[in-house]
Amino acid sequence: MREIEHEELTYVRAKGALTGLALGDALGMPTQSMSAADIQHYYGGHIHGFVRAVAEQPIAPNMKAGAVTDDTEQAFVLANRLIADGGTLDNHAYAQDLLAWESAMKAKGSLDLLGPSTRLALHALADGVDIEHTGTTGTTNGGAMRAAPIGIAFSPDAPDHLLARMARESCLVTHNTVQGIQATTLVAAAVSFGISGSERPLEDAISYVSQLPESGHWSAKASVLARVRRFFDWANTGAGSSMEASEFAQTLRRECGTSVEANESVAAAFAFAARFRRDPNEALYQCASVGGDTDTIGAMCGAMLGAQYGDEVFRPDLVRQLVRQLKEDNHLDLDVTVAGLVHIRLRTLHTRDPRHSGDPRS
């Protein structure tokens, strides 16, 4: 009986992670790559629900309210590859999946395509560059934005550092840098600890990654882990924890940054999740309203909080609209995908795969 209850709770939290990812993405869609001043001008300021993108939206002009972006779609690309590969990851097939996705987006006339790091890496792979070297400049958040399926599929209690290994594996093609791997592992770990029932999943994720050896190619850019720790502490127990929401967002824009760089956007997502963890809906409204890479910050924040609380923590009307549009417009089935990822998680908790060694760098 307890095992059945545990599996049901795992499913609810896993569904919360993917729901939160897509919800944060859809809320941030109309404001992505816009300044706070432009958000004020075009949308009247704070975002409180799904909004149609204005014609002046630089990436998704006139996109309908509740639509998701590449964050959600690429997360599902990774999820489906993990499910198809039975809990492993064929990176060559994954690369082809991403290229096929972009081709489909171009055919629809979408401007919401692969990010700069991902595009450069996939083109290098197509030109014959070895997979260990295609992602050596990827310090942006492309790996972290699609990390939730890794956190769902692999428990922190799985043997042989499987969570860390698979987070790194998912970065090899496009974000094989210290920053890219740390960012992806942080988000995946926060999701995974949340699903496992941790009362402090964000703190546990930071601790988990802090104990891992650094992996990936060196970059001179700031450490993702150091900046996440700094702004998480500031938002959780420091000066940011008592600030009014508007002052909090202004300080985060000024001192952390909200760009596509992983050391800014992932730190911002952790800060919003910490500051508004008791009100996940408000957390996502704040992410959508801050300016910068709002859809990705919202997607990461939503995945982490959804994993902790389950899908029922989010506004039911928004969730119903979201799920309907995912099926009708994107041909994505949230329930089927979650079930496939949870199946991997439950199996790997009890199975020791001899292909996985104990060193997350190997």
Side-chain angles (χ1 to χ4, degrees):
M1 184 66 176
R2 286 182 180 177
E3 185 173 347
I4 293 174
E5 290 175 353
H6 170 71
E7 291 184 6
E8 289 177 349
L9 192 53
T10 297
Y11 179 85
V12 167
R13 289 172 174 157
K15 188 175 180 180
L18 272 195
T19 301
L21 183 156
L23 188 59
D25 180 19
L27 287 165
M29 173 275 295
T31 59
Q32 60 184 312
S33 298
M34 298 176 79
S35 68
D38 281 342
I39 294 170
Q40 176 67 43
H41 175 73
Y42 289 111
Y43 300 108
H46 201 54
I47 301 296
H48 284 95
F50 292 148
V51 178
R52 181 180 180 86
V54 295
E56 293 80 5
Q57 210 321 296
I59 297 176
N62 299 311
M63 188 173 282
K64 74 179 186 180
V68 297
T69 77
D70 60 324
D71 299 76
T72 299
E73 293 212 347
Q74 289 188 37
F76 273 80
V77 169
L78 175 57
N80 290 330
R81 176 48 50 194
L82 288 169
I83 293 167
D85 292 343
T88 60
L89 184 62
D90 181 337
N91 263 310
H92 288 280
Y94 179 38
Q96 293 306 311
D97 293 341
L98 288 170
L99 287 170
W101 172 83
E102 182 174 53
S103 294
M105 292 299 102
K106 287 180 178 177
K108 293 196 300 186
S110 174
L111 300 177
D112 199 14
L113 305 174
L114 295 170
S117 298
T118 299
R119 182 182 298 109
L120 182 65
L122 292 177
H123 288 173
L125 186 68
D127 290 339
V129 177
D130 185 85
I131 203 167
E132 285 283 348
H133 301 288
T134 55
T136 57
T137 60
T139 59
T140 55
N141 56 27
M145 78 180 192
R146 50 186 186 247
I150 298 290
I152 296 171
F154 305 105
S155 167
D157 298 322
D160 302 326
H161 298 287
L162 189 55
L163 173 63
R165 285 178 55 82
M166 294 308 297
R168 175 186 180 274
E169 191 74 18
S170 74
C171 291
L172 285 183
V173 177
T174 60
H175 291 81
N176 189 6
T177 61
V178 174
Q179 287 84 356
I181 292 171
Q182 281 187 348
T184 302
T185 310
L186 279 161
V187 175
V191 168
S192 192
F193 277 108
I195 293 171
S196 290
S198 168
E199 294 182 358
R200 295 160 51 89
L202 302 174
E203 292 90 335
D204 287 344
I206 293 169
S207 177
Y208 178 82
V209 175
S210 297
Q211 295 172 38
L212 295 172
E214 282 192 355
S215 179
H217 289 262
W218 178 84
S219 165
K221 294 180 180 178
S223 164
V224 176
L225 179 61
R227 289 176 64 81
V228 165
R229 186 185 291 116
R230 173 188 169 188
F231 286 99
F232 173 79
D233 289 343
W234 168 78
N236 191 44
T237 57
S241 64
S242 58
M243 285 181 178
E244 291 294 327
S246 59
E247 183 185 4
F248 180 90
Q250 183 179 30
T251 304
L252 203 60
R253 282 192 297 269
R254 183 179 64 244
E255 299 185 14
C256 175
T258 58
S259 79
V260 299
E261 283 297 329
N263 57 30
E264 295 187 6
S265 50
V266 177
F270 268 79
F272 277 120
R275 173 67 177 79
F276 299 100
R277 71 167 85 202
R278 291 180 177 82
D279 189 349
N281 292 291
E282 182 61 26
L284 299 190
Y285 303 153
Q286 291 290 333
C287 291
S289 306
V290 70
D293 200 7
T294 52
D295 57 328
T296 301
I297 294 170
M300 294 185 292
C301 180
M304 294 188 290
L305 292 177
Q308 182 175 6
Y309 297 115
D311 62 312
E312 293 184 356
V313 75
F314 299 116
R315 271 178 55 184
D317 60 322
L318 295 184
V319 172
R320 284 193 297 271
Q321 180 179 343
L322 175 75
V323 172
R324 183 179 68 252
Q325 290 185 199
L326 284 176
K327 283 188 177 181
E328 294 176 356
D329 299 343
N330 307 92
H331 309 294
L332 300 175
D333 193 313
L334 194 145
D335 288 323
V336 169
T337 305
V338 170
L341 293 171
V342 169
H343 177 73
I344 295 171
R345 184 185 187 93
L346 296 175
R347 190 187 72 237
T348 55
L349 269 173
H350 305 293
T351 304
R352 189 176 187 86
D353 187 337
R355 290 172 293 177
H356 299 305
S357 72
D359 187 347
R361 297 169 297 180
S362 60

